[in-house]
Amino acid sequence: MSTAAEPLIQYLRQLESQGQTHVSIDDESRKILRAFYIRARAGTPAKQARAPKGSKPAVARPTDEPTSTRAQVPALVVTGNTPAEKIDSLKRQVTRWAPVLAQKDLRKTMVFSVGNPSADVMLVGEAPGYDEERLGEPFVGKAGQKLDGILKAMGIDRRSVYISNIVKFRPAMPNQTTNNRKPTKEEMDACLPFIHEEVKVVAPKVIIALGGTAAQALLNCDQPVGSMRGCFHDYAGIPLRVTYHPSYILHNEATSEKRKLWEDMLAVMDLLRMPISEKQRGYFLTN
Ligand code: URA
């Protein structure tokens, strides 16, 4: 394999052996790899397009690596010993992550995550809004206050869980003031490697996907939230519960909807073997 693909493939194998599951490559590298595999599949010898002697792989080095040999495209690499250090290493990379930089309609202030990076419970929303951007923390606006109320009703302190979003920047809108919008599929795809790595670092006992957008992104599907809630899904061996986004409950005061969300939370409490009082079991039951 003494072609232009060789240093690339070696470098990708090296990243893979370090446990890396995602890498972003530039168009030139993609072309080289595609040509290599098409020829390999067809059984034809690779064109003798040798890489120039001493040339660097076209894939960039990890962005955390302080090296002058860094190429154009970042690779997502988790460094550090403790979960907090590992989350910090991800945080440092998201502002330089090429797929994110390519999203012209994401604002610039990063809002990554909050809470305990070794938590049993990980909650995932869609993207920060006005309040989250202002305070640099997920779920601190009205939906966040609703979430705090839900956690309190479960007997869980907000600081003991890990709270994150699929998208780490507030989606922009023309003439934007306090209004927020849902992230696009491209914006979510650009950020998705981060939440996948966060789950690996936190290794929670349960994940709660808050709303359809987060659930669809995590489970790679397009079902509506109503058809996904009510049971546990499997996310890489971790039980994942889909429930309504707290803002849905803010805008839909119907007791029946609150009860559905609460039943999802009771199921999570059961899974975690948390004590559940009769009072808690009865919240939002109408008769
Ligand atoms: N909604 C979300 O999905 N995430 C936040 O952080 C705030 C509101």
Side-chain angles (χ1 to χ4, degrees), residues 111 125-129 132 137-141 143-144 164-165 210 245:
V111 181
E126 57 182 48
E132 288 72 27
E137 186 174 321
F139 283 100
V140 287
S164 196
N165 280 309
L210 297 167
H245 194 284

Side-chain angles (χ1 to χ4, degrees), residues 146-225:
K146 181 58 83 181
L147 179 62
D148 289 351
I150 294 164
L151 291 171
K152 194 165 168 212
M154 296 168 80
I156 294 179
D157 181 350
R158 175 181 167 103
R159 284 165 303 183
S160 71
V161 298
Y162 182 84
I163 305 176
S164 196
N165 280 309
I166 302 290
V167 173
K168 311 302 190 190
F169 302 84
R170 183 180 171 210
M173 294 169 80
N175 306 320
Q176 193 167 30
T177 53
T178 56
N179 44 342
N180 301 314
R181 73 163 167 87
K182 202 175 133 166
T184 63
K185 165 108 176 58
E186 290 70 30
E187 288 163 351
M188 290 197 282
D189 285 348
C191 291
L192 213 47
F194 288 88
I195 200 75
H196 290 315
E197 290 302 326
E198 287 170 83
V199 175
K200 283 194 215 154
V201 171
V202 178
K205 289 189 179 148
V206 64
I207 300 168
I208 302 174
L210 297 167
T213 308
Q216 288 159 5
L218 288 169
L219 297 172
N220 190 24
C221 68
D222 56 9
Q223 284 164 252
V225 61

